[in-house]
Amino acid sequence: MADSTLSTLPRMDALLACPALADSGLPYALRKAGANQVLDRLRHALRAGEHVEIPSLTALAEQARQAAEALARPGLKRVVNATGVVLHTNLGRAPMSRRAAEAVAQAAAGYSNLEYDLSTGKRGSRTARVEELLKELTGAEEAFAVNNNAAAVFLMLSVLTPGMGVAISRGELVEIGGSFRVPDVMARSGARLVEVGATNKTRLSDYERVLESGQAQALLKVHPSNFKVVGFTQEVGVEELAALAARYGVPLLCDLGSGALGPGPWPQDYPTVQKWGAAADVVCFSGDKLLGGPQAGILVGKGEIIRRLKTDPLARALRLDKLSLAALEATLLDWRDGEAVPTLAMLEMSQKELRQKAEGLAALLAPLCPCEAVETAGEAGGGTLPGEELPSWAVALEPAEALEAFLRGWSTPILGHIHRGKLLLDVRTLLPGEDATIREALAAWKGAQP
Ligand SMILES: *Cc1c(COP(=O)(O)O)cnc(C)c1O
């Protein structure tokens, strides 16, 4: 193939005229983009001096058609989460309830009374409905919701403590992930970081010292969320901090992160919105962690403080969109009515249920490839219950590497993890109907084997 040079590449119009592309039924712009991708790839290789065999015009047209089809598919797609990580940030955290999904679809496809008061015919508040539900569920005086919890923390510090010294334990100067580091957010908000205590131990007297000396004019408590300090440790509880804050007449601000609403499938002593909310001036947390709703940052607390946050111009820049509001309202209604919130149901599944689910799936897949139900360990994820392994059940498949890649590339990608030479599909995080998706993919796998 000595004649593989740039000048021997087929022309664009010749490629576009091939039946594989011309009769593909795809729009012209996509056919052209697909052809361009294929030709560009060859041009690039030739310019780089690689040895390239230029395929036939028909073969190139087929490649171009496949490229065009790939371009036609949406980039953001449904995947099957078989990782066992319930709140997987890379996979969109919380899958929402049917009620929430329907509320989103309604809000998306039509107009709504988003900021319109139907009883007066005048302008209304976009967050009023979720605020009422949040107050009812948490017992807080006032509530507000913004775009995510990072925004809630930023709003809280920017509005309440600009230029002020804010005391925080050295054990709570955490990085949450995705470059959200408490010291950086504080700096950006204009608050002055006043570190107290040590990484493993902070006492009430450490906070008291900086309040007494006038170095700090507010207290911040952050739930370290995604890690756990064990061993020789000490931290100051929210109630004690609240009493200290009251004594010095300074606010106590809390970033709870995970947002457990009352008792649930987490340890007894796990900090809840109610517990921290009863003591602090303001508590913020995520909508899509243990609450099981959409991405959102929720703030609950004292009336006067929350009203300051709501009316600040920054709140407008961080506001929640209508789809998230619809989903948040529906999720809060699920909580109020005792309806199943999918992430909670997943966290609550018993070993017996998980085992049955895994054995059922293994039986379904057995005719297609070697597999067995095995015990495994997942996690809550989203930085919510660090150090708490979630004992679970999975289906173990072989050959691990090849299957992992095949299932990841499936039209509805199926994501598991490899452990000791087997591909494990943890059944805890499988949603209804996904067994069938896995079966379909494995049937295709089997069919493609020599
Ligand atoms: C998760 C978390 C955040 C960030 O919340 P997002 O909703 O992801 O923006 C902030 N603080 C703590 C303590 C967290 O756990």
Side-chain angles (χ1 to χ4, degrees):
M1 283 273 146
D3 58 352
S4 291
T5 64
L6 283 173
S7 61
T8 57
L9 277 182
R11 287 163 49 98
M12 172 64 90
D13 49 5
L15 197 50
L16 284 171
C18 289
L21 258 187
D23 305 339
S24 64
L26 293 163
Y28 175 75
L30 276 181
R31 282 182 271 146
K32 188 155 179 211
N36 247 331
Q37 268 192 12
V38 168
L39 292 176
D40 266 354
R41 202 158 46 221
L42 288 171
R43 264 186 222 116
H44 195 81
L46 286 169
R47 288 211 184 94
E50 287 169 33
H51 172 78
V52 180
E53 278 192 31
I54 298 173
S56 70
L57 192 60
T58 329
L60 276 180
E62 178 51 31
Q63 285 180 16
R65 186 189 61 78
Q66 286 175 10
E69 275 182 354
L71 287 170
R73 284 192 285 271
L76 181 65
K77 29 175 135 179
R78 174 80 184 254
V79 304
V80 172
N81 175 10
T83 64
V85 181
V86 177
L87 297 164
H88 200 306
T89 299
N90 301 153
L91 305 184
R93 287 202 188 148
M96 282 176 261
S97 69
R98 181 183 294 267
R99 184 192 233 168
E102 277 167 8
V104 173
Q106 287 263 350
Y111 295 101
S112 57
N113 60 335
L114 181 66
E115 288 188 8
Y116 186 81
D117 186 335
L118 291 169
S119 60
T120 62
K122 300 218 168 75
R123 179 157 197 258
S125 146
R126 68 164 51 210
T127 47
R129 285 167 297 273
V130 298
E131 286 167 18
E132 285 312 311
L133 284 165
L134 283 165
K135 287 196 283 189
E136 186 184 332
L137 284 163
T138 65
E141 269 174 41
E142 275 295 344
F144 187 47
V146 291
N147 190 42
N148 58 17
N149 190 37
V153 176
F154 186 63
L155 179 67
M156 182 167 85
L157 293 169
S158 303
V159 176
L160 302 176
T161 58
M164 287 161 60
V166 178
I168 176 171
S169 160
R170 287 198 167 88
E172 297 172 9
L173 292 173
V174 297
E175 169 170 325
I176 306 299
S179 72
F180 182 93
R181 284 182 169 172
V182 172
D184 298 343
V185 176
M186 287 180 77
R188 203 72 176 78
S189 74
R192 202 160 34 75
L193 171 64
V194 180
E195 299 177 31
V196 302
T199 309
N200 57 332
K201 278 202 174 213
T202 303
R203 300 185 181 83
L204 194 65
S205 56
D206 295 320
Y207 290 97
E208 185 153 20
R209 200 167 309 121
V210 294
L211 290 176
E212 186 62 45
S213 70
Q215 279 171 279
Q217 293 82 37
L219 303 181
L220 175 64
K221 184 159 182 72
V222 176
H223 184 228
S225 295
N226 51 7
F227 75 101
K228 211 172 187 169
V229 185
V230 294
F232 188 59
T233 65
Q234 184 175 351
E235 66 166 324
V236 184
V238 177
E239 287 87 357
E240 274 180 284
L241 279 181
L244 182 69
R247 197 139 51 78
Y248 282 86
V250 302
L252 169 61
L253 320 178
C254 291
D255 173 12
L256 179 55
S258 47
L261 265 195
W266 33 81
Q268 276 256 294
D269 59 353
Y270 193 73
T272 60
V273 176
Q274 284 86 341
K275 182 162 185 281
W276 281 31
D281 290 284
V282 50
V283 177
C284 65
F285 58 97
S286 285
D288 54 356
K289 290 185 179 170
L290 294 178
L291 189 72
Q295 176 187 307
I298 298 166
L299 295 132
V300 296
K302 304 256 159 73
E304 182 258 332
I305 285 197
I306 300 286
R307 280 190 290 277
R308 275 176 67 195
L309 300 180
K310 257 190 230 184
T311 51
D312 192 274
L314 188 55
R316 172 65 177 78
L318 305 176
R319 84 178 179 188
L320 203 49
D321 80 291
K322 64 180 179 182
L323 303 186
S324 305
L325 265 169
L328 183 57
E329 182 183 358
T331 304
L332 294 171
L333 287 170
D334 283 338
W335 274 91
R336 189 198 64 186
D337 303 343
E339 297 282 345
V341 174
T343 47
L344 283 202
M346 284 179 187
L347 289 170
E348 268 164 357
M349 286 180 89
S350 70
Q351 288 306 297
K352 189 164 160 237
E353 281 173 277
L354 290 163
R355 182 181 182 157
Q356 276 169 0
K357 214 173 154 184
E359 285 172 350
L361 181 59
L364 190 69
L365 304 181
L368 304 171
C369 80
C371 70
E372 58 174 335
V374 296
E375 281 183 274
T376 181
E379 52 179 300
T384 51
L385 303 169
E388 302 281 333
E389 247 187 16
L390 276 183
S392 187
W393 280 78
V395 173
L397 304 171
E398 279 180 290
E401 266 86 22
L403 263 179
E404 190 277 333
F406 180 85
L407 294 179
R408 183 158 40 80
W410 185 241
S411 53
T412 303
I414 298 161
L415 309 173
H417 74 279
I418 293 177
H419 181 70
R420 298 209 175 130
K422 304 232 172 159
L423 175 64
L424 298 190
L425 303 180
D426 192 316
V427 294
R428 184 192 296 274
T429 43
L430 294 182
L431 293 164
E434 292 183 338
D435 277 16
T437 308
I438 297 172
R439 204 194 77 87
E440 198 188 323
L442 281 173
W445 158 266
K446 187 176 182 213
Q449 298 314 296

